[in-house]
Amino acid sequence: MANAVERKEPATDAEFRDLQETLLVNQFHDILPGTCIPQAHDEAKAQVSALIQEADSQIRKALAPAAAEDRVTVANPTSFIRSDVLYLDYREGMRIAGALTGGRKLAVAGVELPPYGSVVLEWEPGDPDDRSPFGINGRELVTPFARVKFDDRGFLKSFVDTEAGRELAGEGYPLNTLLMAEDVPAAWDNWDIDADLEMKFRDSARFVSSKVVSKGAVELRIRNRYQLSEKSSLTQDVIFYAWSPLVKFETMMDWQEEHRFLKAAFDTSVFSDFVRQEIQFGYLKRPTTRNTSVEQAKFEVLNHKYTDLSETRYGVAILNDCKYGISAKGGQLRLSLHKGGMRPDFRGDKGMHYCEYGFLPHAGGFSAESVIQPAYAFNYHPIVMDGARPMDSLAFPSAENVIIETVKPCEDGERAFILRLYEAEGSFTHSDVTLGFQPKAVELTNMLEEKQASLDPAQTFHLTFHPFEIKTVKVRY
């Protein structure tokens, strides 16, 4: 989009229209949950894998940094300012531990990325800063945000927020305990989860090994290995940060189970009568009690990027990048990691599976700053490329709780693009939207991109949102 604006050319989706259509075909409601015959699964995996590779290639081609041996460009694919940890590819002379998914990375913090823009970093000779703010002594760890005690299997039996002076590990299992259950639904093997599953979960993971693989100025990374059963195993990097209270779990599962279900349990000391769980363009509030038949039916529910359990002044959130089932009861949040159904695909989704999820304590209760933006950042990693391509922000809203969800070419082939924005907290909000250039016209449209009103054709224009309202804006250049 930035290229089309710079060149004053009509924005077009011709190069990636086929990718969109392939993606939508593979979003069919039986493919997404893994409830297809083997042939359909094999075709979907091959098509989506090729799609991801082609999309990555097109992104890098579109950004096209100028060749510069000692520079690297980092682009922000979200609509808010962020300064989370960047992972740059290893270069000779670095002292850095191996990543769980292969290769070696340098963790970099303190770089502020503009919304839908980029910064250029310059490599300098020398070793990474190895001064660490983390103090680890046996099974006890002190971070800039917490005091943590591990049990004899590496699960978090105590997690004290040092600023709040609050123990977050509640009654029940230690935080991040891996639970396994027999999963044999009465009717539909791969479609259903029956309520009696909750009574079957057992803490049966056998600890194999643990080691510190990275301890520096930015992060502490502990790699734990578990035997889930005789056939299945799990390797997990538990990552603590110097810049954030977030604890991240990078997880690789060698899954060989049949009719088994795996969860990660976070039994916390935070209590509320409801949780907030993200859906598209907002969230739902669901009860944490099981007092009625309706509440009892919500033993397993949907969450997209986050589930948040908050009191008025404090809360915890579970973030995830691809695991969209969770249960919430009292202060217990238990994220679903895998299901080994055998029908109609008799192979049961066996193989290697990678995912990431996080435990995020936050002061001040639920908000865009405390939960929504970190959840977006967790899912949309910065784009890192060798070379130099500085870019100002294409567009950004002034209100933290207004998210630009989509930037796309307009459907009529004009020199214009579409911004789709929504209010994410459930609050009436005024927000300015600032563009990185002077537009020729700005129009408010419906989702069919039909004009409804003209807005001030200035570099900064104003919008008013009702709770969870979605707005579509057409920007002519």
Side-chain angles (χ1 to χ4, degrees):
M1 205 66 64
N3 289 344
V5 173
E6 290 174 0
R7 298 167 186 167
K8 303 298 186 204
E9 299 173 350
T12 175
D13 63 356
E15 291 190 10
F16 56 85
R17 170 69 73 170
D18 289 346
L19 300 183
Q20 290 178 314
E21 293 179 354
T22 299
L23 178 64
L24 290 174
V25 167
N26 287 284
Q27 297 281 300
F28 179 67
H29 72 261
D30 277 334
I31 294 176
L32 279 179
T35 54
C36 287
I37 62 174
Q39 181 181 358
H41 281 156
D42 292 342
E43 289 183 6
K45 289 178 181 177
Q47 289 178 8
V48 174
S49 294
L51 180 156
I52 291 171
Q53 292 179 3
E54 176 61 22
D56 182 71
S57 175
Q58 288 196 22
I59 288 170
R60 295 176 185 279
K61 178 182 176 182
L63 295 176
E69 183 177 351
D70 295 326
R71 287 174 173 77
V72 61
T73 296
V74 184
N76 179 5
T78 60
S79 64
F80 51 87
I81 297 171
R82 56 194 284 188
S83 56
D84 41 331
V85 170
L86 310 176
Y87 291 95
L88 308 183
D89 287 337
Y90 169 84
R91 290 195 176 193
E92 196 62 38
M94 293 181 185
R95 297 179 298 180
I96 191 69
L100 183 60
T101 53
R104 291 188 285 180
K105 300 287 184 179
L106 175 67
V108 177
V111 178
E112 187 173 279
L113 302 179
Y116 290 131
S118 71
V119 296
V120 178
L121 308 179
E122 184 174 359
W123 291 102
E124 294 184 355
D127 293 326
D129 187 354
D130 58 5
R131 294 172 296 176
S132 177
F134 304 100
I136 187 165
N137 182 16
R139 295 177 184 169
E140 297 186 2
L141 167 67
V142 177
T143 81
F145 299 93
R147 295 193 308 274
V148 180
K149 292 182 181 179
F150 302 97
D151 68 8
D152 57 4
R153 291 182 300 163
F155 302 137
L156 286 65
K157 69 178 183 180
S158 175
F159 191 104
V160 177
D161 182 324
T162 48
E163 183 174 350
R166 177 165 184 169
E167 172 65 74
L168 299 183
E171 295 181 1
Y173 294 111
L175 303 178
N176 195 44
T177 299
L178 300 170
L179 305 177
M180 185 95 83
E182 180 187 49
D183 176 35
V184 187
W188 307 102
D189 196 29
N190 259 355
W191 283 264
D192 285 1
I193 300 172
D194 290 349
D196 65 349
L197 183 74
E198 285 196 306
M199 298 181 289
K200 299 179 181 179
F201 280 106
R202 297 292 180 268
D203 176 11
S204 57
R206 180 172 63 84
F207 175 75
V208 176
S209 66
S210 179
K211 65 177 180 179
V212 175
V213 295
S214 175
K215 181 174 180 284
V218 175
E219 69 170 38
L220 171 73
R221 184 180 292 254
I222 302 172
R223 183 163 299 162
N224 296 328
R225 301 181 188 274
Y226 300 94
Q227 197 68 35
L228 300 176
S229 69
E230 291 183 0
K231 298 182 289 185
S232 299
S233 60
L234 180 146
T235 301
Q236 186 171 77
D237 281 4
V238 184
I239 308 165
F240 299 87
Y241 294 101
W243 61 276
S244 168
L246 173 69
V247 183
K248 187 177 182 181
F249 303 89
E250 296 183 356
T251 307
M252 183 73 75
M253 292 174 279
D254 182 358
W255 184 261
Q256 303 298 331
E257 298 300 312
E258 300 175 0
H259 297 295
R260 294 292 183 271
F261 202 104
L262 181 67
K263 278 183 176 283
F266 291 86
D267 295 355
T268 76
S269 65
V270 179
F271 291 95
S272 175
D273 58 0
F274 64 87
V275 290
R276 291 177 176 89
Q277 296 172 313
E278 195 201 33
I279 59 173
Q280 189 176 25
F281 299 116
Y283 62 79
L284 290 178
K285 289 183 180 180
R286 295 192 177 103
T288 60
T289 51
R290 304 286 173 85
N291 295 327
T292 67
S293 60
V294 173
E295 291 179 356
Q296 291 164 12
K298 298 177 182 179
F299 62 90
E300 180 81 6
V301 293
L302 160 75
N303 76 151
H304 282 175
K305 301 181 192 69
Y306 65 80
T307 284
D308 182 72
L309 180 67
S310 282
E311 301 163 0
T312 56
R313 301 193 179 201
Y314 196 90
V316 295
I318 302 297
L319 312 183
N320 83 95
D321 71 343
C322 64
K323 298 300 180 183
Y324 302 132
I326 197 168
S327 57
K329 182 180 180 181
Q332 300 174 350
L333 301 174
R334 297 183 177 179
L335 184 68
S336 300
L337 298 184
H338 212 76
K339 175 181 170 67
M342 304 298 292
R343 230 169 11 113
D345 190 338
F346 61 88
R347 298 170 300 182
D349 209 14
K350 296 176 182 177
M352 301 299 294
H353 298 271
Y354 179 81
C355 68
E356 298 178 2
Y357 58 94
F359 176 69
L360 178 64
H362 57 86
F366 175 84
S367 69
E369 296 92 331
S370 65
V371 177
I372 299 171
Q373 289 186 359
Y376 266 86
F378 196 90
N379 279 263
Y380 297 100
H381 298 174
I383 301 166
V384 180
M385 302 162 291
D386 288 333
R389 174 68 189 279
M391 293 185 296
D392 294 331
S393 294
L394 179 67
F396 64 92
S398 62
E400 300 286 349
N401 56 318
V402 172
I403 302 291
I404 301 177
E405 176 66 24
T406 303
V407 181
K408 62 177 288 293
C410 64
E411 294 295 324
D412 57 16
E414 299 178 9
R415 285 199 292 270
F417 63 86
I418 298 297
L419 300 176
R420 185 156 292 127
L421 312 91
Y422 76 104
E423 194 288 313
E425 280 184 355
S427 302
F428 183 90
T429 300
H430 295 288
S431 179
D432 290 332
V433 178
T434 300
L435 304 171
F437 61 95
Q438 176 64 45
K440 289 188 175 180
V442 180
E443 300 169 356
L444 195 63
T445 75
N446 59 22
M447 285 193 174
L448 296 177
E449 301 176 18
E450 298 167 336
K451 181 178 177 181
Q452 293 182 320
S454 293
L455 300 177
D456 183 8
Q459 193 165 350
T460 298
F461 57 91
H462 185 78
L463 296 173
T464 299
F465 291 82
H466 292 284
F468 300 125
E469 185 179 3
I470 305 167
K471 287 187 181 294
T472 304
V473 176
K474 185 174 185 178
V475 180
R476 299 181 185 272
Y477 53 87

